[in-house]
Amino acid sequence: MNMIVLMTAAGAPLAMLGLSTPDQPQRNCIFMTHPQITSTVFASKEGKVVFPDRPTEYPCSYAKKRGATDIAFTNQNGWRFEVRLGRGDEGTWKADLGDDAISGRAFSPFGDRK
Protein backbone atom coordinates (compact mmCIF):
# COMPACT_ATOMS: atom_id res chain seq x y z
CA MET A 1 0.00 0.00 0.00
CA ASN A 2 1.59 3.27 -1.09
CA MET A 3 -1.14 5.92 -0.82
CA ILE A 4 -4.04 6.55 1.54
CA VAL A 5 -6.70 9.23 1.16
CA LEU A 6 -7.80 10.98 4.36
CA MET A 7 -11.20 12.63 4.57
CA THR A 8 -12.81 14.67 7.33
CA ALA A 9 -15.46 13.07 9.54
CA ALA A 10 -18.03 14.78 7.28
CA GLY A 11 -16.50 13.11 4.20
CA ALA A 12 -14.68 16.10 2.67
CA PRO A 13 -11.37 15.34 0.91
CA LEU A 14 -8.44 16.43 3.09
CA ALA A 15 -5.10 14.83 2.26
CA MET A 16 -3.23 12.01 0.62
CA LEU A 17 -0.70 10.14 2.73
CA GLY A 18 2.15 8.88 0.60
CA LEU A 19 4.15 5.90 1.91
CA SER A 20 7.66 4.92 0.89
CA THR A 21 8.46 1.54 -0.59
CA PRO A 22 9.29 -1.26 -0.13
CA ASP A 23 6.78 -2.49 2.44
CA GLN A 24 8.51 -2.93 5.77
CA PRO A 25 7.73 -2.34 9.44
CA GLN A 26 9.40 1.10 9.36
CA ARG A 27 8.53 3.34 6.40
CA ASN A 28 8.48 7.04 5.65
CA CYS A 29 5.28 8.95 4.94
CA ILE A 30 4.33 12.45 3.84
CA PHE A 31 1.05 14.35 3.58
CA MET A 32 0.07 15.89 0.26
CA THR A 33 -2.93 18.14 -0.23
CA HIS A 34 -5.84 16.34 -1.86
CA PRO A 35 -6.56 17.84 -5.32
CA GLN A 36 -10.22 18.35 -4.30
CA ILE A 37 -9.56 20.05 -0.94
CA THR A 38 -11.51 23.27 -0.44
CA SER A 39 -10.16 26.41 1.21
CA THR A 40 -12.67 25.86 4.02
CA VAL A 41 -11.32 22.39 4.77
CA PHE A 42 -7.71 23.58 4.46
CA ALA A 43 -8.42 26.30 7.05
CA SER A 44 -10.34 23.92 9.36
CA LYS A 45 -8.90 22.34 12.50
CA GLU A 46 -8.23 19.12 10.57
CA GLY A 47 -6.41 21.07 7.85
CA LYS A 48 -4.26 22.92 10.37
CA VAL A 49 -3.29 19.68 12.13
CA VAL A 50 -2.52 17.73 8.95
CA PHE A 51 -0.72 20.67 7.28
CA PRO A 52 0.90 22.62 10.16
CA ASP A 53 3.85 23.86 8.12
CA ARG A 54 5.75 22.88 5.01
CA PRO A 55 5.56 19.23 3.85
CA THR A 56 7.61 17.01 6.14
CA GLU A 57 8.54 13.36 5.83
CA TYR A 58 7.76 11.33 8.95
CA PRO A 59 9.09 7.91 9.99
CA CYS A 60 6.03 5.73 10.44
CA SER A 61 5.27 2.22 11.59
CA TYR A 62 3.45 -0.02 9.12
CA ALA A 63 1.90 -3.32 10.16
CA LYS A 64 -0.41 -5.73 8.37
CA LYS A 65 -2.23 -8.39 10.35
CA ARG A 66 -5.52 -10.25 10.19
CA GLY A 67 -6.86 -8.32 7.22
CA ALA A 68 -5.99 -4.90 8.68
CA THR A 69 -3.25 -2.39 7.99
CA ASP A 70 -2.11 -0.05 10.78
CA ILE A 71 0.05 3.01 10.21
CA ALA A 72 1.22 5.32 13.01
CA PHE A 73 3.50 8.37 13.29
CA THR A 74 3.89 11.68 15.10
CA ASN A 75 4.05 14.98 13.20
CA GLN A 76 6.36 17.92 13.92
CA ASN A 77 3.81 19.50 16.27
CA GLY A 78 3.44 16.39 18.42
CA TRP A 79 0.12 15.12 17.02
CA ARG A 80 0.01 11.31 17.05
CA PHE A 81 -1.63 9.94 13.89
CA GLU A 82 -3.08 6.45 13.58
CA VAL A 83 -4.59 5.08 10.38
CA ARG A 84 -6.38 1.73 10.31
CA LEU A 85 -7.60 0.15 7.10
CA GLY A 86 -9.55 -3.10 7.07
CA ARG A 87 -10.87 -5.37 4.37
CA GLY A 88 -11.82 -3.47 1.26
CA ASP A 89 -8.98 -1.00 1.95
CA GLU A 90 -11.33 1.31 3.89
CA GLY A 91 -11.11 2.48 7.48
CA THR A 92 -10.47 5.43 9.74
CA TRP A 93 -7.78 7.81 10.87
CA LYS A 94 -7.36 9.75 14.07
CA ALA A 95 -4.88 12.20 15.51
CA ASP A 96 -4.51 13.26 19.10
CA LEU A 97 -2.45 15.66 21.15
CA GLY A 98 -3.16 15.14 24.82
CA ASP A 99 -6.92 15.48 25.30
CA ASP A 100 -7.46 17.09 21.89
CA ALA A 101 -8.42 14.75 19.05
CA ILE A 102 -9.67 14.74 15.46
CA SER A 103 -10.67 11.86 13.21
CA GLY A 104 -12.14 10.93 9.87
CA ARG A 105 -12.45 8.32 7.16
CA ALA A 106 -9.58 6.78 5.21
CA PHE A 107 -9.22 4.55 2.17
CA SER A 108 -6.56 3.28 -0.17
CA PRO A 109 -7.66 3.85 -3.79
CA PHE A 110 -5.11 1.38 -5.12
CA GLY A 111 -5.06 -1.13 -2.27
CA ASP A 112 -2.08 -3.44 -2.20
CA ARG A 113 -1.61 -3.57 -5.96
CA LYS A 114 2.03 -3.49 -6.91
Side-chain angles (χ1 to χ4, degrees):
M1 193 169 299
N2 296 323
M3 185 177 73
I4 298 167
V5 173
L6 274 60
M7 304 180 82
T8 65
L14 177 62
M16 297 178 299
L17 181 65
L19 298 156
S20 64
T21 56
D23 291 358
Q24 54 187 348
Q26 183 71 37
R27 296 174 74 176
N28 291 315
C29 57
I30 189 168
F31 280 122
M32 299 164 276
T33 54
H34 192 282
Q36 295 176 321
I37 192 171
T38 65
S39 58
T40 302
V41 172
F42 190 80
S44 69
K45 181 177 182 177
E46 291 94 337
K48 290 176 182 174
V49 169
V50 171
F51 302 111
D53 200 357
R54 63 185 173 84
T56 302
E57 202 171 280
Y58 307 107
C60 58
S61 63
Y62 180 90
K64 292 181 72 161
K65 54 187 170 209
R66 296 191 176 132
T69 302
D70 293 317
I71 300 156
F73 61 94
T74 302
N75 78 357
Q76 69 262 42
N77 291 351
W79 284 84
R80 180 71 179 162
F81 284 81
E82 295 178 10
V83 180
R84 174 164 256 225
L85 300 177
R87 297 195 191 281
D89 297 319
E90 295 185 6
T92 59
W93 67 273
K94 66 180 179 177
D96 60 70
L97 179 65
D99 292 335
D100 202 0
I102 58 172
S103 62
R105 298 181 347 195
F107 69 93
S108 178
F110 308 114
D112 280 328
R113 285 188 261 168
K114 304 279 183 216

